[in-house]
Amino acid sequence: QAEKEEVPYLFCSQAMIQKSLQERQLQASIDQAFAQKEFQLYIQFYVDAQTLKVVGGEALSRWKHPQKGILLPSVFIPLLEREKMISRLDYYCLKEVCFFLESLLKAGVDTFFVSCNFSRETFAAADFAQKVQEILNGFTFPRELLILEITESVSVRNAAQIRQNVIALKKYGVRVALDDFGEGFTSFYDLQKYPIDGIKLDKGLVDHVTTPIGTAILKAMIQVGHELNMTILAEGVETDAQVKALQEIHCDVIQGFRFCHPLPQWEATEQIIQNRRT
Ligand code: C2E
Ligand code: CA
Ligand code: CA
Ligand code: CA
């Protein structure tokens, strides 16, 4: 009996040791990563759904690891969450986004908005709004150009604290959007819990926007959002057919590989400034 139980354990131990070794190496390098500025912002543009002109961008982090190359969030975010360091990354990114917005302003660009992702841990902290304000101090860009994206699963816990934070943040003039709307547990009920400015329709829904049922669901969501004076964004748009369908149901802003992939910050800046001249 005992032997039987040990078999599967022995069987996968090799792979597990490999994995935990790898993770330990990564963990050891997190501190260094912050110190050496190895976390970098990539920017993925948002376009106006009707004109298809670039109107803003989302900041997505990348870890430029000295040995492993460019790592994606799916690799390092679970690790940072486990190590209780995700808030450190979120605040770091927010600061970088502020510098980015300020540099655009100095270059004469004062309408490009930038959104920044926040994990649940960060957004639900009692001192979140205050920390955001401290970071914003000293920057002069118009506050409404900054959008904080809360991921949808946020609504599951600490709703009262999140609500308080959203209200405080809105007093500072920044905007708040509910990310990944329609994925997992989101419901319309969440929309009345927090006074948010926008919702970002999840790729999982957008994938079906060209089917009759998909169109009907998204159309209803957009209608509700508009009734509540929210801006509706759609993520993960990959085809012309999806663009057309989203235009027909009056989505406001779209984003996806159909238009562009996330770009290194310097490349995004170059394109934004070039766009402005043409
Ligand atoms: P998200 O906020 O839902 O971001 C969208 C993800 O989908 C991004 O992946 C983006 O590159 C990808 N994407 C964009 N357009 C398309 C498309 O047309 N097709 C497909 N298949 N994918 C598309 P990425 O950059 O790997 O980021 C993954 C997630 O990591 C993000 O999901 C976001 O929740 C999280 N994340 C990124 N940076 C940060 C950060 O600084 N803090 C926190 N807390 N989360 C972050
Ligand atoms: Ca997002
Ligand atoms: Ca999203
Ligand atoms: Ca998503």
Side-chain angles (χ1 to χ4, degrees):
Q1 181 65 30
E3 223 175 23
K4 253 186 202 162
E5 271 168 18
E6 268 172 288
V7 172
Y9 173 73
L10 285 174
F11 179 70
C12 58
S13 66
Q14 199 62 335
M16 281 165 70
I17 288 168
Q18 264 299 334
K19 194 162 179 259
S20 88
L21 250 174
Q22 239 178 7
E23 284 183 356
R24 225 171 288 171
Q25 281 175 351
L26 274 172
Q27 273 163 26
S29 48
I30 292 174
D31 271 326
Q32 187 195 315
F34 279 108
Q36 309 285 328
K37 292 202 151 230
E38 288 167 13
F39 289 111
Q40 296 183 356
L41 293 189
Y42 273 50
I43 304 291
Q44 187 179 22
F45 291 142
Y46 287 116
V47 304
D48 179 286
Q50 300 303 327
T51 65
L52 302 186
K53 287 214 165 96
V54 171
V55 287
E58 174 178 15
L60 294 159
S61 5
R62 299 290 181 262
W63 183 354
K64 216 168 174 185
H65 195 283
Q67 282 88 41
K68 297 174 199 292
I70 294 177
L71 301 178
L72 292 172
S74 53
V75 174
F76 59 82
I77 286 185
L79 182 77
L80 290 173
E81 276 172 347
R82 254 207 323 278
E83 296 300 304
K84 304 265 172 271
M85 293 235 241
I86 187 68
S87 295
R88 190 169 168 197
L89 177 72
D90 289 345
Y91 290 125
Y92 176 83
C93 287
L94 175 63
K95 224 173 280 173
E96 293 295 304
V97 164
C98 289
F99 280 117
F100 180 51
L101 278 165
E102 201 73 8
S103 73
L104 289 178
L105 187 67
K106 293 224 168 80
V109 178
D110 59 1
T111 55
F112 186 94
F113 63 85
V114 182
S115 70
C116 193
N117 291 285
F118 290 91
S119 77
R120 170 176 53 201
E121 283 78 5
T122 313
F123 214 100
D127 61 353
F128 179 61
Q130 192 199 327
K131 280 208 168 136
V132 170
Q133 197 186 23
E134 278 164 17
I135 290 171
L136 284 170
N137 268 338
F139 291 101
T140 64
F141 62 81
R143 297 301 187 243
E144 70 270 16
L145 295 181
L146 176 64
I147 300 172
L148 312 184
E149 293 190 14
I150 336 173
T151 180
E152 168 259 314
S153 59
V154 149
S155 50
V156 178
R157 276 189 277 153
N158 297 338
Q161 184 63 56
I162 291 165
R163 186 182 152 74
Q164 265 188 38
N165 289 346
V166 174
I167 291 168
L169 289 164
K170 293 193 60 155
K171 284 200 189 118
Y172 311 150
V174 303
R175 294 189 283 168
V176 178
L178 206 54
D179 198 6
D180 299 324
F181 192 80
E183 187 200 44
F185 303 101
T186 346
S187 69
F188 285 114
Y189 179 65
D190 295 326
L191 298 182
Q192 51 178 7
K193 272 200 294 215
Y194 320 114
I196 49 169
D197 304 282
I199 55 181
K200 197 161 167 191
L201 303 168
D202 189 63
K203 182 177 190 304
L205 283 175
V206 172
D207 284 343
H208 299 284
V209 69
T210 50
T211 69
I213 294 175
T215 310
I217 292 172
L218 283 167
K219 190 176 173 184
M221 285 181 160
I222 292 173
Q223 264 169 7
V224 172
H226 281 162
E227 294 258 330
L228 300 172
N229 288 318
M230 290 171 186
T231 301
I232 316 294
L233 305 97
E235 69 171 20
V237 177
E238 295 179 344
T239 67
D240 286 333
Q242 289 172 341
V243 174
K244 190 162 167 279
L246 287 163
Q247 284 174 331
E248 280 167 2
I249 56 176
H250 307 295
C251 185
D252 301 302
V253 175
I254 53 186
Q255 177 196 45
F257 294 167
R258 165 65 186 79
F259 304 98
C260 57
H261 286 251
L263 301 170
Q265 195 183 314
W266 67 267
E267 212 173 320
T269 305
E270 237 171 41
Q271 288 201 20
I272 295 162
I273 290 171
Q274 221 164 39
N275 271 348
R276 213 176 133 259
R277 294 212 188 92
T278 54

